Structure formats: C-alpha cells, structure tokens
Amino acid sequence: MTEKPKLHILLCAPRGFCAGVVRAIDAVEQALRIYGAPVYVRHEIVHNKFVVEGLKAKGAIFVEELDEVPDTTKPVIFSAHGVPKSIPAEAQKRNIFAIDATCPLVTKVHREAELHFNNGRQVLLVGHAGHPEVVGTLGQLPEGSILLVQTPDEVATLKVKDENNLAYVTQTTLSVDDTKNMVEALTRRFPNIVGPHREDICYATTNRQEAVKRIAPIVDALLVVGSSNSSNSQRLREVAERSGCKLARLVLRADDVEWDLFSNISTLGITAGASAPEVLVEEIMAAFAERYDLEIETVSTADEGVFFPLPRELRKAAS
C-alpha cells in the first residue's frame, strides 16, 4: 500500500455560519414546522446553494419577487440580506403573512441611514452594486437621498447636494481593508462627513478575514468553502491573495476542488464563509484525507458567542 504524502491543514476559527445566518435558516425551518409546507422565501435565504437546496427539499419555495407568490395564508420570509421598504409595503397591500429574517446587523445599517436622512443629511452607501443587501439599503430612503459609491475613483468624481451635510454607511460583508480605503477617500474629499457610531462591517466578516490574514502568508494554498454569489466568501478569497497566499480558491463542495493544483502542497489553509455550513468543510477535509495523511491544526483569532433570537412572529407562534 502506497504511503500517502503528509499535509498540514491550518483550520481557521471562526469560520462558517454567523448568528444572522443561523437565525435566517432557523426561521425557515421553524416556519415549516409550525405552518407546514410550502413556505415561501423571497430570494435565497442566505447565499449558499447547498443550504438552499436543503431547504427546498423540506418544502421551502424560493422566489425572486412577491408577484411569484400565489394568494396564500402561508408565510413569506424575507432573506437575511434585507429588502427595500417597497417589499413589506407590497406584502401588506396583498395581505401576505410576511416574516422578516433580515440580519439584525443589516437592520442596524438601515436604521442608521434613516436617522441620517431624518437629520437632513444625504447618505453615501459603500458597497457592491446589485448585491441584495445593497439593493435593500438603497431602498430604505427616497431616490436621490442615498448614493452608492464603490471605489475611491467614484468618490473623487461624486456629485452631492451639500459637501458639508453628508453621512456614510457600508455594506456589512465588505473587505475590512477595502472599506478602510474607501472611508479614507470619503473623509479626504468630505472632511465633515459623519460615519457610523460603530462600524457597519459585521463582526463575523471581520473575524473571518482576520483568521485568513494570519494563516495566508504561511500556507502553500488556501480554500474558502462557500458559494460564488456569497460576498463575504469572495472577500475571504481576495484577502488570502492580498495577504500573500499564492493559491486561493473558492469552492462549494469537494467535487469543485481542482486536485491538480494541490498535488505538490505541504500546507493548506481552510476557512468557510459566513453562509457555509460546517458539513461542507468536513466533506472537503474528508476528500483531502483520502489523498493525504492529514495533520490538523486550528488557528483561532476570536471567540464568537453572538446569538440573535428568531423573528417575533415565529417566537409568538412557538410559545
């Protein structure tokens, strides 16, 4: 029997599910238990295809817009990314039983934006165009009251109503370093701009990026477990590359691993985006164990004890 080569795996901690993701998935599963299938979900509840397919198998029906939902007494759940104000208004107009599973940290950004608007400030949103969280935040205020900025170059050419009466908020899943550069660009151009009381990038995004920064310079390769449409997972891959890792890949399942690329490595870093379940990390490690003699070391940069309760409607129904 051929002896397998040795592989030292550095396992990032924390990794995988954050409190907002756990809450959103639990909301769908609890709604299915209480009300029975089907339960409708507007947009992917979290950005992970494995999770979404698992919930579909239990009776969840995913739609992109409310007009895809028939007249029904069944719940319609809004995803963790948040929705524009027009969506709950449409649901109310149709007497849809809506359950909002928006992450509380995204709701915090919505409230900040609204508070600035009520105080007469124009709001700048740092984020990625088209991401559901950004669409939801832009939709909290009247058109023109909140402007999206994505790059320092955009900041340099931005036209605002009053340079001395501005505030900014950010998408919660951005790169910490990219956001720092954006905030520096904003404060250089608009010295009187008002920022959040506490930064908007969520604790889970920050913690996962910090763990990657620690191991990226000392591994031959790094795998981020997550879906390609997951913002925080994509940022982890980028952070690994910027931190000195020559080979960083985003994979959802073991089948996605490009094994030829990993044939000559002796150290491998593994992390998972905030919407990726631990079972996928275990699946990928099992695939490596078939090919290598593994030595596993956990590298921890933070302890997470954050918990968010279920949406109020589900807590009441379960009590």
Side-chain angles (χ1 to χ4, degrees):
M1 186 174 176
T2 308
E3 190 174 328
K4 291 187 281 192
K6 293 189 181 302
L7 179 63
H8 186 191
I9 289 183
L10 295 179
L11 199 54
C12 287
R15 65 182 176 276
F17 281 176
C18 63
V21 164
V22 170
R23 176 182 186 265
I25 295 169
D26 284 353
V28 178
E29 292 183 333
Q30 184 80 322
L32 284 164
R33 280 194 293 269
I34 295 170
Y35 303 103
V39 163
Y40 295 88
V41 185
R42 184 189 177 277
H43 192 68
E44 290 188 349
I45 189 69
V46 297
H47 280 159
N48 188 278
K49 293 177 177 63
F50 178 85
V51 170
V52 168
E53 290 302 317
L55 292 172
K56 280 182 182 176
K58 294 177 181 178
I61 296 176
F62 289 84
V63 300
E64 283 304 306
E65 298 300 341
L66 291 186
D67 59 15
E68 299 171 53
V69 178
D71 291 333
T72 179
T73 57
K74 296 287 190 175
V76 178
I77 300 174
F78 301 151
S79 78
H81 312 97
V83 295
K85 279 191 170 178
S86 58
I87 302 302
E90 182 187 345
Q92 189 172 22
K93 192 174 176 183
R94 286 186 54 194
N95 291 319
I96 285 174
F97 174 27
I99 297 172
D100 189 357
T102 300
C103 174
L105 298 179
V106 175
T107 301
K108 165 188 171 285
V109 176
H110 293 177
R111 287 176 178 157
E112 282 175 346
E114 198 158 21
L115 185 63
H116 289 309
F117 173 70
N118 291 338
N119 287 330
R121 299 185 184 105
Q122 189 175 22
V123 180
L124 307 182
L125 169 61
V126 179
H128 296 302
H131 188 277
E133 182 185 328
V134 166
V135 172
T137 302
L138 290 171
Q140 299 304 304
L141 300 179
E143 195 170 342
S145 304
I146 181 165
L147 303 177
L148 177 64
V149 283
Q150 301 184 79
T151 66
D153 288 344
E154 287 183 14
V155 174
T157 59
L158 193 64
K159 292 181 177 156
V160 297
K161 294 173 185 172
D162 180 355
E163 292 193 357
N164 293 309
N165 207 16
L166 296 172
Y168 73 86
V169 295
T170 81
Q171 185 179 336
T172 64
T173 56
L174 299 176
S175 155
V176 173
D177 295 332
D178 284 350
T179 305
K180 183 182 175 193
N181 293 337
M182 283 294 293
V183 170
E184 287 173 354
L186 286 169
T187 50
R188 269 197 309 271
R189 169 109 196 259
F190 309 114
N192 295 324
I193 195 167
V194 177
H197 293 298
R198 291 181 62 188
E199 68 173 26
D200 291 331
I201 296 178
C202 85
Y203 76 94
T205 298
T206 302
N207 290 346
R208 281 148 190 72
Q209 289 181 20
E210 282 303 313
V212 165
K213 284 179 185 178
R214 181 173 297 185
I215 70 166
I218 58 173
V219 294
D220 298 323
L222 187 139
L223 284 178
V224 178
V225 182
S227 284
S228 58
N229 62 337
S230 164
S231 173
N232 74 83
S233 299
Q234 289 283 10
R235 303 295 82 76
L236 289 172
R237 180 187 55 78
E238 293 170 1
V239 166
E241 291 172 343
R242 290 178 188 174
S243 300
C245 184
K246 294 184 177 64
L247 175 60
R249 289 290 186 273
L250 175 63
V251 294
L252 178 63
R253 306 290 300 267
D255 289 346
D256 302 322
V257 177
E258 301 164 89
W259 292 106
D260 289 349
L261 296 178
F262 298 89
S263 57
N264 294 311
I265 63 170
S266 60
T267 55
L268 173 69
I270 298 180
T271 188
S275 50
E278 184 66 10
V279 65
L280 297 186
V281 175
E282 292 168 357
E283 175 187 288
I284 286 166
M285 288 180 65
F288 273 93
E290 291 175 5
R291 295 162 172 81
Y292 294 91
D293 178 13
L294 301 187
E295 178 189 337
I296 299 166
E297 177 185 351
T298 298
V299 178
S300 181
T301 55
D303 291 322
E304 289 182 354
V306 181
F307 168 78
F308 296 136
L310 284 168
R312 185 175 60 253
E313 298 87 352
L314 291 171
R315 295 200 306 272
K316 281 169 67 177
S319 61

